[in-house]
Amino acid sequence: MVVPSPTPLSTEKVRAVDLPIIDLSAQRSEVSKLIVKACDKFGFLKVINHGVPNHIIAKLEHEGLSFFAKPVPEKLRAGPANPFGYGCKTIGLNGDMGELEYLTLNTNPLSIAERSKTISDDPSKFSSIVSDYIEAVRGLGCELLDLMAEGLLVTDTSVFSRLIRDVDGDSVLRLNHYPPVQVDCKDMDTSHPHDNRNKVGFGEHSDPQILTLLRSNDVGGLQISIEDGVWIPVTPDPNAFCVNVGDMLQAMTNGRFVSVRHRALTNSCKSRMSVAFFGAPSLQTRIIAPPELVTPNRLSLYRPFTWAEYKKASYSLRLGDSRLELFRKC
Ligand code: GA4
């Protein structure tokens, strides 16, 4: 078993940079350029005026909080997470651990309906709330992917979005709950008391899918790593969705957009809940960059592969491993 490190995070550099905040109600051609710029520079951005209705978000958050507030034996009825269902502290299948509990759901409607029976006392209400959220957020994801294709001057502007719109798509919804974790004073570097109060809740990794859309309550914790060893905290903003490029979009943009590594820290006194939608293609989808993104100056970086192959590789590795490297052309 892998024991999470006591995380004396004091030697790591933390730099404050604000991610670009993109207003989706602005002029389309401007928005698409800004999105591409943000993906080029950070692989992460925030979107506001995103069109996902507040009541849909609020209902899902309420369901999430009610679930996590249940007694442990009841929550365990929805587990173990293999990979779907309730999980506590264990991440993936190869011994990674974190300071969190979570629910992962396959976004297929039949699977949601089945899983809801072990999650809620009112399964049909729970599954309709989850389905409404998935539909709205998937719509936002498709819109963002179309804007990216437009900004990248790719002729087939739905080349990315149709992958996550597919009825056989393999998208995942994940609710993460990070209870407050007090860090022992003996673990703290008292010369920098504010730098290292927080333990790692979900360790450093990149997201395997195409695009991730994340919302959290107003408790911070997300950090991204643009440069090795430098962590940038993302300011929490309940009005925004935080969007990041996944490994599949890195491959489909032939390495132009980077699937940036990120992690979540716990807070020492407040609990954090985040909801992430990971937009993924169907298992048999072949991941190939559109012709406009493969040029004599930017030769094809990755060999063609299917999402099923990539997913299998992801689950056979550890959370922090770089999986896309395995699919690079020599
Ligand atoms: C990271 C992104 C999503 O949370 C997730 C995670 C998945 C899991 O927790 O089951 C993985 C992880 C994530 C990446 C590598 C593999 C798979 C744990 C792990 C060690 C649901 C996903 O799709 O990939």
Side-chain angles (χ1 to χ4, degrees), residues 81-84 90-96 102 104 170 172-174 176 202 205-209 212 247 262 276 278 307 311 313-321 323:
N82 58 357
F84 299 115
T90 57
I91 299 175
L93 313 171
N94 298 311
D96 287 290
Y102 58 88
T104 41
D170 193 36
V172 173
L173 188 75
R174 177 177 192 130
N176 286 326
F202 199 106
H205 67 286
S206 67
D207 292 339
Q209 294 82 357
T212 304
D247 299 348
H262 52 282
F278 302 95
W307 166 241
K311 189 175 170 185
S314 302
Y315 274 102
S316 66
L317 296 170
R318 299 292 300 267
L319 180 64
D321 289 338
R323 310 154 220 123

mmCIF file of all heavy atoms in Angstrom, residues 81-84 90-96 102 104 170 172-174 176 202 205-209 212 247 262 276 278 307 311 313-321 323, ligand 1:
data_model
loop_
_atom_site.group_PDB
_atom_site.id
_atom_site.type_symbol
_atom_site.label_atom_id
_atom_site.label_comp_id
_atom_site.label_asym_id
_atom_site.label_seq_id
_atom_site.Cartn_x
_atom_site.Cartn_y
_atom_site.Cartn_z
ATOM 1 N N ALA A 81 -15.327 1.858 -5.647
ATOM 2 C CA ALA A 81 -15.176 2.519 -6.948
ATOM 3 C C ALA A 81 -14.251 1.683 -7.821
ATOM 4 O O ALA A 81 -13.050 1.711 -7.671
ATOM 5 C CB ALA A 81 -14.597 3.913 -6.743
ATOM 6 N N ASN A 82 -14.858 0.898 -8.721
ATOM 7 C CA ASN A 82 -13.988 0.043 -9.556
ATOM 8 C C ASN A 82 -14.292 0.161 -11.053
ATOM 9 O O ASN A 82 -14.667 -0.841 -11.647
ATOM 10 C CB ASN A 82 -14.062 -1.413 -9.090
ATOM 11 C CG ASN A 82 -15.497 -1.944 -9.128
ATOM 12 O OD1 ASN A 82 -16.414 -1.210 -9.455
ATOM 13 N ND2 ASN A 82 -15.683 -3.203 -8.830
ATOM 14 N N PRO A 83 -14.182 1.218 -11.749
ATOM 15 C CA PRO A 83 -13.819 2.519 -11.204
ATOM 16 C C PRO A 83 -15.043 3.367 -10.830
ATOM 17 O O PRO A 83 -14.879 4.460 -10.316
ATOM 18 C CB PRO A 83 -13.064 3.174 -12.368
ATOM 19 C CG PRO A 83 -13.743 2.644 -13.589
ATOM 20 C CD PRO A 83 -14.190 1.258 -13.230
ATOM 21 N N PHE A 84 -16.271 2.868 -11.076
ATOM 22 C CA PHE A 84 -17.432 3.721 -10.780
ATOM 23 C C PHE A 84 -18.014 3.386 -9.417
ATOM 24 O O PHE A 84 -17.971 2.237 -8.988
ATOM 25 C CB PHE A 84 -18.508 3.559 -11.872
ATOM 26 C CG PHE A 84 -17.984 3.972 -13.213
ATOM 27 C CD1 PHE A 84 -17.832 3.058 -14.242
ATOM 28 C CD2 PHE A 84 -17.589 5.286 -13.437
ATOM 29 C CE1 PHE A 84 -17.310 3.448 -15.469
ATOM 30 C CE2 PHE A 84 -17.060 5.683 -14.650
ATOM 31 C CZ PHE A 84 -16.924 4.761 -15.662
ATOM 32 N N THR A 90 -8.795 5.724 -1.654
ATOM 33 C CA THR A 90 -8.071 4.993 -2.702
ATOM 34 C C THR A 90 -8.380 5.649 -4.043
ATOM 35 O O THR A 90 -9.511 6.058 -4.305
ATOM 36 C CB THR A 90 -8.509 3.518 -2.773
ATOM 37 O OG1 THR A 90 -9.913 3.507 -2.995
ATOM 38 C CG2 THR A 90 -8.183 2.777 -1.502
ATOM 39 N N ILE A 91 -7.366 5.769 -4.891
ATOM 40 C CA ILE A 91 -7.547 6.366 -6.222
ATOM 41 C C ILE A 91 -7.033 5.375 -7.258
ATOM 42 O O ILE A 91 -5.884 4.915 -7.155
ATOM 43 C CB ILE A 91 -6.784 7.704 -6.349
ATOM 44 C CG1 ILE A 91 -7.296 8.724 -5.331
ATOM 45 C CG2 ILE A 91 -6.877 8.258 -7.778
ATOM 46 C CD1 ILE A 91 -6.510 10.030 -5.297
ATOM 47 N N GLY A 92 -7.857 5.075 -8.256
ATOM 48 C CA GLY A 92 -7.430 4.147 -9.308
ATOM 49 C C GLY A 92 -7.254 2.740 -8.749
ATOM 50 O O GLY A 92 -7.765 2.414 -7.671
ATOM 51 N N LEU A 93 -6.510 1.927 -9.486
ATOM 52 C CA LEU A 93 -6.446 0.508 -9.149
ATOM 53 C C LEU A 93 -5.046 0.068 -8.717
ATOM 54 O O LEU A 93 -4.814 -1.103 -8.493
ATOM 55 C CB LEU A 93 -6.890 -0.330 -10.378
ATOM 56 C CG LEU A 93 -8.191 0.145 -11.061
ATOM 57 C CD1 LEU A 93 -8.414 -0.594 -12.362
ATOM 58 C CD2 LEU A 93 -9.390 -0.043 -10.135
ATOM 59 N N ASN A 94 -4.117 1.036 -8.626
ATOM 60 C CA ASN A 94 -2.728 0.631 -8.383
ATOM 61 C C ASN A 94 -2.088 1.240 -7.142
ATOM 62 O O ASN A 94 -0.890 1.516 -7.120
ATOM 63 C CB ASN A 94 -1.878 0.944 -9.618
ATOM 64 C CG ASN A 94 -2.378 0.160 -10.815
ATOM 65 O OD1 ASN A 94 -2.586 -1.034 -10.724
ATOM 66 N ND2 ASN A 94 -2.617 0.834 -11.917
ATOM 67 N N GLY A 95 -2.906 1.462 -6.120
ATOM 68 C CA GLY A 95 -2.346 1.846 -4.820
ATOM 69 C C GLY A 95 -2.212 3.335 -4.563
ATOM 70 O O GLY A 95 -1.657 3.715 -3.534
ATOM 71 N N ASP A 96 -2.693 4.206 -5.468
ATOM 72 C CA ASP A 96 -2.637 5.644 -5.167
ATOM 73 C C ASP A 96 -3.674 5.968 -4.087
ATOM 74 O O ASP A 96 -4.749 5.368 -4.048
ATOM 75 C CB ASP A 96 -2.905 6.460 -6.435
ATOM 76 C CG ASP A 96 -1.723 6.403 -7.375
ATOM 77 O OD1 ASP A 96 -0.686 6.986 -7.043
ATOM 78 O OD2 ASP A 96 -1.819 5.742 -8.429
ATOM 79 N N TYR A 102 -15.187 10.274 -2.823
ATOM 80 C CA TYR A 102 -15.720 10.680 -4.129
ATOM 81 C C TYR A 102 -16.768 9.705 -4.635
ATOM 82 O O TYR A 102 -16.903 8.585 -4.131
ATOM 83 C CB TYR A 102 -14.578 10.796 -5.158
ATOM 84 C CG TYR A 102 -13.786 9.515 -5.340
ATOM 85 C CD1 TYR A 102 -14.172 8.540 -6.262
ATOM 86 C CD2 TYR A 102 -12.668 9.250 -4.553
ATOM 87 C CE1 TYR A 102 -13.460 7.363 -6.414
ATOM 88 C CE2 TYR A 102 -11.946 8.061 -4.697
ATOM 89 C CZ TYR A 102 -12.349 7.131 -5.624
ATOM 90 O OH TYR A 102 -11.652 5.953 -5.758
ATOM 91 N N THR A 104 -17.787 8.408 -8.528
ATOM 92 C CA THR A 104 -17.585 8.531 -9.985
ATOM 93 C C THR A 104 -18.750 7.831 -10.666
ATOM 94 O O THR A 104 -19.179 6.745 -10.258
ATOM 95 C CB THR A 104 -16.261 7.881 -10.457
ATOM 96 O OG1 THR A 104 -16.077 6.664 -9.767
ATOM 97 C CG2 THR A 104 -15.071 8.767 -10.249
ATOM 98 N N ASP A 170 -17.723 7.935 -23.652
ATOM 99 C CA ASP A 170 -17.284 7.304 -22.403
ATOM 100 C C ASP A 170 -17.022 8.356 -21.316
ATOM 101 O O ASP A 170 -16.158 8.165 -20.458
ATOM 102 C CB ASP A 170 -15.994 6.509 -22.733
ATOM 103 C CG ASP A 170 -15.603 5.559 -21.629
ATOM 104 O OD1 ASP A 170 -16.500 4.979 -20.994
ATOM 105 O OD2 ASP A 170 -14.386 5.402 -21.401
ATOM 106 N N VAL A 172 -17.274 10.810 -18.045
ATOM 107 C CA VAL A 172 -17.389 10.450 -16.620
ATOM 108 C C VAL A 172 -17.766 11.693 -15.822
ATOM 109 O O VAL A 172 -17.294 12.797 -16.121
ATOM 110 C CB VAL A 172 -16.007 9.931 -16.104
ATOM 111 C CG1 VAL A 172 -16.018 9.704 -14.601
ATOM 112 C CG2 VAL A 172 -15.590 8.661 -16.833
ATOM 113 N N LEU A 173 -18.619 11.506 -14.813
ATOM 114 C CA LEU A 173 -18.901 12.600 -13.870
ATOM 115 C C LEU A 173 -18.321 12.187 -12.520
ATOM 116 O O LEU A 173 -18.490 11.046 -12.092
ATOM 117 C CB LEU A 173 -20.407 12.830 -13.748
ATOM 118 C CG LEU A 173 -20.759 14.072 -12.932
ATOM 119 C CD1 LEU A 173 -20.495 15.337 -13.751
ATOM 120 C CD2 LEU A 173 -22.226 14.050 -12.506
ATOM 121 N N ARG A 174 -17.636 13.129 -11.912
ATOM 122 C CA ARG A 174 -16.994 12.790 -10.631
ATOM 123 C C ARG A 174 -17.278 13.864 -9.595
ATOM 124 O O ARG A 174 -17.084 15.062 -9.873
ATOM 125 C CB ARG A 174 -15.495 12.681 -10.865
ATOM 126 C CG ARG A 174 -14.733 12.400 -9.625
ATOM 127 C CD ARG A 174 -13.250 12.218 -9.910
ATOM 128 N NE ARG A 174 -12.655 11.681 -8.722
ATOM 129 C CZ ARG A 174 -11.858 10.623 -8.662
ATOM 130 N NH1 ARG A 174 -11.509 9.997 -9.748
ATOM 131 N NH2 ARG A 174 -11.383 10.198 -7.526
ATOM 132 N N ASN A 176 -16.082 15.120 -5.973
ATOM 133 C CA ASN A 176 -15.000 14.945 -4.997
ATOM 134 C C ASN A 176 -15.328 15.731 -3.739
ATOM 135 O O ASN A 176 -15.720 16.895 -3.828
ATOM 136 C CB ASN A 176 -13.685 15.515 -5.547
ATOM 137 C CG ASN A 176 -13.071 14.634 -6.628
ATOM 138 O OD1 ASN A 176 -13.177 13.412 -6.575
ATOM 139 N ND2 ASN A 176 -12.447 15.258 -7.607
ATOM 140 N N PHE A 202 -5.731 15.202 -3.796
ATOM 141 C CA PHE A 202 -5.719 14.371 -5.017
ATOM 142 C C PHE A 202 -4.402 14.705 -5.706
ATOM 143 O O PHE A 202 -4.149 15.849 -6.082
ATOM 144 C CB PHE A 202 -6.918 14.748 -5.907
ATOM 145 C CG PHE A 202 -7.275 13.704 -6.942
ATOM 146 C CD1 PHE A 202 -8.406 12.915 -6.789
ATOM 147 C CD2 PHE A 202 -6.484 13.504 -8.067
ATOM 148 C CE1 PHE A 202 -8.742 11.940 -7.741
ATOM 149 C CE2 PHE A 202 -6.813 12.540 -9.014
ATOM 150 C CZ PHE A 202 -7.943 11.756 -8.851
ATOM 151 N N HIS A 205 -1.465 14.867 -11.498
ATOM 152 C CA HIS A 205 -1.799 14.026 -12.655
ATOM 153 C C HIS A 205 -2.273 14.893 -13.806
ATOM 154 O O HIS A 205 -2.555 16.084 -13.617
ATOM 155 C CB HIS A 205 -2.916 13.039 -12.293
ATOM 156 C CG HIS A 205 -4.236 13.712 -12.018
ATOM 157 N ND1 HIS A 205 -4.482 14.413 -10.851
ATOM 158 C CD2 HIS A 205 -5.357 13.856 -12.767
ATOM 159 C CE1 HIS A 205 -5.696 14.923 -10.891
ATOM 160 N NE2 HIS A 205 -6.251 14.614 -12.049
ATOM 161 N N SER A 206 -2.408 14.298 -14.976
ATOM 162 C CA SER A 206 -3.135 14.972 -16.061
ATOM 163 C C SER A 206 -4.406 14.165 -16.298
ATOM 164 O O SER A 206 -4.469 12.987 -15.928
ATOM 165 C CB SER A 206 -2.268 15.045 -17.326
ATOM 166 O OG SER A 206 -2.056 13.750 -17.828
ATOM 167 N N ASP A 207 -5.411 14.798 -16.893
ATOM 168 C CA ASP A 207 -6.668 14.086 -17.140
ATOM 169 C C ASP A 207 -6.578 13.356 -18.478
ATOM 170 O O ASP A 207 -6.190 13.948 -19.489
ATOM 171 C CB ASP A 207 -7.849 15.080 -17.172
ATOM 172 C CG ASP A 207 -8.110 15.694 -15.801
ATOM 173 O OD1 ASP A 207 -7.688 15.098 -14.791
ATOM 174 O OD2 ASP A 207 -8.729 16.773 -15.739
ATOM 175 N N PRO A 208 -6.941 12.082 -18.506
ATOM 176 C CA PRO A 208 -6.776 11.327 -19.742
ATOM 177 C C PRO A 208 -7.729 11.730 -20.883
ATOM 178 O O PRO A 208 -7.397 11.531 -22.048
ATOM 179 C CB PRO A 208 -7.090 9.880 -19.326
ATOM 180 C CG PRO A 208 -7.080 9.855 -17.840
ATOM 181 C CD PRO A 208 -7.374 11.251 -17.379
ATOM 182 N N GLN A 209 -8.899 12.287 -20.557
ATOM 183 C CA GLN A 209 -9.943 12.472 -21.564
ATOM 184 C C GLN A 209 -9.682 13.668 -22.507
ATOM 185 O O GLN A 209 -8.573 14.149 -22.599
ATOM 186 C CB GLN A 209 -11.305 12.652 -20.876
ATOM 187 C CG GLN A 209 -11.796 11.432 -20.122
ATOM 188 C CD GLN A 209 -11.216 11.272 -18.720
ATOM 189 O OE1 GLN A 209 -10.376 12.049 -18.282
ATOM 190 N NE2 GLN A 209 -11.663 10.259 -18.003
ATOM 191 N N THR A 212 -11.990 18.634 -19.582
ATOM 192 C CA THR A 212 -12.577 18.551 -18.238
ATOM 193 C C THR A 212 -13.234 19.872 -17.904
ATOM 194 O O THR A 212 -12.652 20.942 -18.148
ATOM 195 C CB THR A 212 -11.477 18.254 -17.185
ATOM 196 O OG1 THR A 212 -10.806 17.063 -17.561
ATOM 197 C CG2 THR A 212 -12.061 18.094 -15.791
ATOM 198 N N ASP A 247 -5.546 14.704 -22.049
ATOM 199 C CA ASP A 247 -4.522 14.062 -22.886
ATOM 200 C C ASP A 247 -5.013 13.847 -24.327
ATOM 201 O O ASP A 247 -4.231 13.985 -25.279
ATOM 202 C CB ASP A 247 -4.132 12.685 -22.312
ATOM 203 C CG ASP A 247 -3.538 12.768 -20.910
ATOM 204 O OD1 ASP A 247 -3.208 13.873 -20.456
ATOM 205 O OD2 ASP A 247 -3.415 11.703 -20.268
ATOM 206 N N HIS A 262 -2.050 18.756 -12.737
ATOM 207 C CA HIS A 262 -2.691 19.531 -11.672
ATOM 208 C C HIS A 262 -2.902 18.627 -10.463
ATOM 209 O O HIS A 262 -2.720 17.412 -10.547
ATOM 210 C CB HIS A 262 -4.015 20.151 -12.166
ATOM 211 C CG HIS A 262 -4.944 19.159 -12.800
ATOM 212 N ND1 HIS A 262 -4.774 18.688 -14.097
ATOM 213 C CD2 HIS A 262 -6.043 18.532 -12.324
ATOM 214 C CE1 HIS A 262 -5.730 17.835 -14.378
ATOM 215 N NE2 HIS A 262 -6.510 17.706 -13.317
ATOM 216 N N ALA A 276 -16.576 17.317 -11.402
ATOM 217 C CA ALA A 276 -15.843 17.365 -12.674
ATOM 218 C C ALA A 276 -16.546 16.501 -13.711
ATOM 219 O O ALA A 276 -16.937 15.359 -13.429
ATOM 220 C CB ALA A 276 -14.422 16.865 -12.474
ATOM 221 N N PHE A 278 -15.696 14.804 -17.224
ATOM 222 C CA PHE A 278 -14.572 14.467 -18.092
ATOM 223 C C PHE A 278 -15.152 13.992 -19.425
ATOM 224 O O PHE A 278 -15.718 12.893 -19.507
ATOM 225 C CB PHE A 278 -13.734 13.342 -17.477
ATOM 226 C CG PHE A 278 -13.187 13.676 -16.108
ATOM 227 C CD1 PHE A 278 -13.848 13.291 -14.958
ATOM 228 C CD2 PHE A 278 -12.009 14.402 -15.977
ATOM 229 C CE1 PHE A 278 -13.353 13.603 -13.702
ATOM 230 C CE2 PHE A 278 -11.495 14.726 -14.726
ATOM 231 C CZ PHE A 278 -12.177 14.333 -13.588
ATOM 232 N N TRP A 307 -9.282 5.228 -28.016
ATOM 233 C CA TRP A 307 -9.498 5.638 -26.622
ATOM 234 C C TRP A 307 -9.447 4.405 -25.701
ATOM 235 O O TRP A 307 -8.928 4.461 -24.592
ATOM 236 C CB TRP A 307 -10.816 6.403 -26.508
ATOM 237 C CG TRP A 307 -11.302 6.594 -25.095
ATOM 238 C CD1 TRP A 307 -12.474 6.139 -24.577
ATOM 239 C CD2 TRP A 307 -10.632 7.289 -24.013
ATOM 240 N NE1 TRP A 307 -12.571 6.495 -23.244
ATOM 241 C CE2 TRP A 307 -11.455 7.200 -22.883
ATOM 242 C CE3 TRP A 307 -9.420 7.953 -23.903
ATOM 243 C CZ2 TRP A 307 -11.118 7.761 -21.646
ATOM 244 C CZ3 TRP A 307 -9.062 8.512 -22.668
ATOM 245 C CH2 TRP A 307 -9.908 8.414 -21.560
ATOM 246 N N LYS A 311 -7.221 4.250 -22.460
ATOM 247 C CA LYS A 311 -7.853 4.098 -21.151
ATOM 248 C C LYS A 311 -7.241 2.902 -20.412
ATOM 249 O O LYS A 311 -6.946 2.974 -19.220
ATOM 250 C CB LYS A 311 -9.353 3.894 -21.379
ATOM 251 C CG LYS A 311 -10.165 3.928 -20.130
ATOM 252 C CD LYS A 311 -11.632 3.841 -20.462
ATOM 253 C CE LYS A 311 -12.426 3.620 -19.205
ATOM 254 N NZ LYS A 311 -13.842 3.416 -19.507
ATOM 255 N N ALA A 313 -4.259 1.703 -20.806
ATOM 256 C CA ALA A 313 -2.909 2.089 -20.352
ATOM 257 C C ALA A 313 -3.006 2.954 -19.091
ATOM 258 O O ALA A 313 -2.238 2.784 -18.144
ATOM 259 C CB ALA A 313 -2.179 2.843 -21.463
ATOM 260 N N SER A 314 -3.987 3.877 -19.069
ATOM 261 C CA SER A 314 -4.131 4.777 -17.914
ATOM 262 C C SER A 314 -4.396 3.994 -16.640
ATOM 263 O O SER A 314 -3.808 4.268 -15.593
ATOM 264 C CB SER A 314 -5.296 5.753 -18.108
ATOM 265 O OG SER A 314 -5.096 6.488 -19.266
ATOM 266 N N TYR A 315 -5.298 3.033 -16.744
ATOM 267 C CA TYR A 315 -5.652 2.277 -15.535
ATOM 268 C C TYR A 315 -4.584 1.269 -15.132
ATOM 269 O O TYR A 315 -4.626 0.737 -14.035
ATOM 270 C CB TYR A 315 -7.035 1.620 -15.679
ATOM 271 C CG TYR A 315 -8.125 2.587 -15.283
ATOM 272 C CD1 TYR A 315 -8.872 3.257 -16.244
ATOM 273 C CD2 TYR A 315 -8.384 2.864 -13.944
ATOM 274 C CE1 TYR A 315 -9.844 4.178 -15.876
ATOM 275 C CE2 TYR A 315 -9.358 3.772 -13.561
ATOM 276 C CZ TYR A 315 -10.093 4.424 -14.534
ATOM 277 O OH TYR A 315 -11.046 5.327 -14.151
ATOM 278 N N SER A 316 -3.616 1.007 -16.035
ATOM 279 C CA SER A 316 -2.571 0.063 -15.636
ATOM 280 C C SER A 316 -1.378 0.809 -15.029
ATOM 281 O O SER A 316 -0.440 0.198 -14.547
ATOM 282 C CB SER A 316 -2.134 -0.781 -16.832
ATOM 283 O OG SER A 316 -1.503 0.064 -17.761
ATOM 284 N N LEU A 317 -1.430 2.154 -15.067
ATOM 285 C CA LEU A 317 -0.321 2.951 -14.543
ATOM 286 C C LEU A 317 -0.733 3.647 -13.248
ATOM 287 O O LEU A 317 -1.883 3.570 -12.816
ATOM 288 C CB LEU A 317 0.098 4.000 -15.587
ATOM 289 C CG LEU A 317 0.670 3.435 -16.898
ATOM 290 C CD1 LEU A 317 0.807 4.537 -17.931
ATOM 291 C CD2 LEU A 317 2.016 2.776 -16.651
ATOM 292 N N ARG A 318 0.224 4.367 -12.660
ATOM 293 C CA ARG A 318 -0.060 5.127 -11.450
ATOM 294 C C ARG A 318 -0.612 6.496 -11.829
ATOM 295 O O ARG A 318 -0.401 6.986 -12.948
ATOM 296 C CB ARG A 318 1.220 5.295 -10.625
ATOM 297 C CG ARG A 318 1.823 3.974 -10.164
ATOM 298 C CD ARG A 318 0.933 3.287 -9.147
ATOM 299 N NE ARG A 318 0.738 4.111 -7.967
ATOM 300 C CZ ARG A 318 1.481 4.037 -6.868
ATOM 301 N NH1 ARG A 318 2.458 3.154 -6.794
ATOM 302 N NH2 ARG A 318 1.243 4.822 -5.836
ATOM 303 N N LEU A 319 -1.274 7.132 -10.863
ATOM 304 C CA LEU A 319 -1.926 8.425 -11.095
ATOM 305 C C LEU A 319 -0.988 9.452 -11.734
ATOM 306 O O LEU A 319 -1.348 10.130 -12.697
ATOM 307 C CB LEU A 319 -2.445 8.944 -9.745
ATOM 308 C CG LEU A 319 -3.154 10.285 -9.735
ATOM 309 C CD1 LEU A 319 -4.434 10.214 -10.548
ATOM 310 C CD2 LEU A 319 -3.478 10.710 -8.298
ATOM 311 N N GLY A 320 0.235 9.562 -11.222
ATOM 312 C CA GLY A 320 1.142 10.626 -11.670
ATOM 313 C C GLY A 320 1.963 10.277 -12.905
ATOM 314 O O GLY A 320 2.753 11.092 -13.364
ATOM 315 N N ASP A 321 1.789 9.062 -13.433
ATOM 316 C CA ASP A 321 2.606 8.659 -14.593
ATOM 317 C C ASP A 321 2.216 9.448 -15.852
ATOM 318 O O ASP A 321 1.060 9.807 -16.030
ATOM 319 C CB ASP A 321 2.449 7.156 -14.866
ATOM 320 C CG ASP A 321 3.132 6.310 -13.798
ATOM 321 O OD1 ASP A 321 4.036 6.840 -13.123
ATOM 322 O OD2 ASP A 321 2.739 5.149 -13.620
ATOM 323 N N ARG A 323 1.285 9.181 -19.351
ATOM 324 C CA ARG A 323 0.844 8.076 -20.218
ATOM 325 C C ARG A 323 0.998 8.392 -21.694
ATOM 326 O O ARG A 323 1.289 7.518 -22.496
ATOM 327 C CB ARG A 323 -0.624 7.755 -19.979
ATOM 328 C CG ARG A 323 -0.942 7.577 -18.556
ATOM 329 C CD ARG A 323 -2.396 7.881 -18.260
ATOM 330 N NE ARG A 323 -2.471 8.584 -17.002
ATOM 331 C CZ ARG A 323 -3.025 9.770 -16.857
ATOM 332 N NH1 ARG A 323 -3.600 10.368 -17.872
ATOM 333 N NH2 ARG A 323 -3.026 10.356 -15.679
HETATM 334 C C1 GA4 B 1 -7.873 11.263 -13.378
HETATM 335 C C2 GA4 B 1 -9.106 12.002 -13.908
HETATM 336 C C3 GA4 B 1 -10.432 11.397 -13.405
HETATM 337 O O1 GA4 B 1 -10.629 11.749 -12.042
HETATM 338 C C4 GA4 B 1 -10.427 9.855 -13.533
HETATM 339 C C5 GA4 B 1 -9.284 9.335 -12.683
HETATM 340 C C6 GA4 B 1 -9.126 7.819 -12.591
HETATM 341 C C7 GA4 B 1 -9.742 7.280 -11.312
HETATM 342 O O2 GA4 B 1 -9.650 7.927 -10.280
HETATM 343 O O3 GA4 B 1 -10.308 6.181 -11.369
HETATM 344 C C8 GA4 B 1 -7.611 7.537 -12.734
HETATM 345 C C9 GA4 B 1 -6.961 8.920 -13.042
HETATM 346 C C10 GA4 B 1 -8.109 9.768 -13.525
HETATM 347 C C11 GA4 B 1 -5.809 8.859 -14.076
HETATM 348 C C12 GA4 B 1 -5.045 7.528 -14.210
HETATM 349 C C13 GA4 B 1 -5.812 6.319 -13.648
HETATM 350 C C14 GA4 B 1 -7.285 6.545 -13.839
HETATM 351 C C15 GA4 B 1 -6.926 6.903 -11.550
HETATM 352 C C16 GA4 B 1 -5.690 6.338 -12.153
HETATM 353 C C17 GA4 B 1 -4.629 5.986 -11.472
HETATM 354 C C18 GA4 B 1 -11.817 9.285 -13.201
HETATM 355 C C19 GA4 B 1 -9.919 9.458 -14.870
HETATM 356 O O4 GA4 B 1 -10.571 9.175 -15.855
HETATM 357 O O5 GA4 B 1 -8.536 9.383 -14.864
#
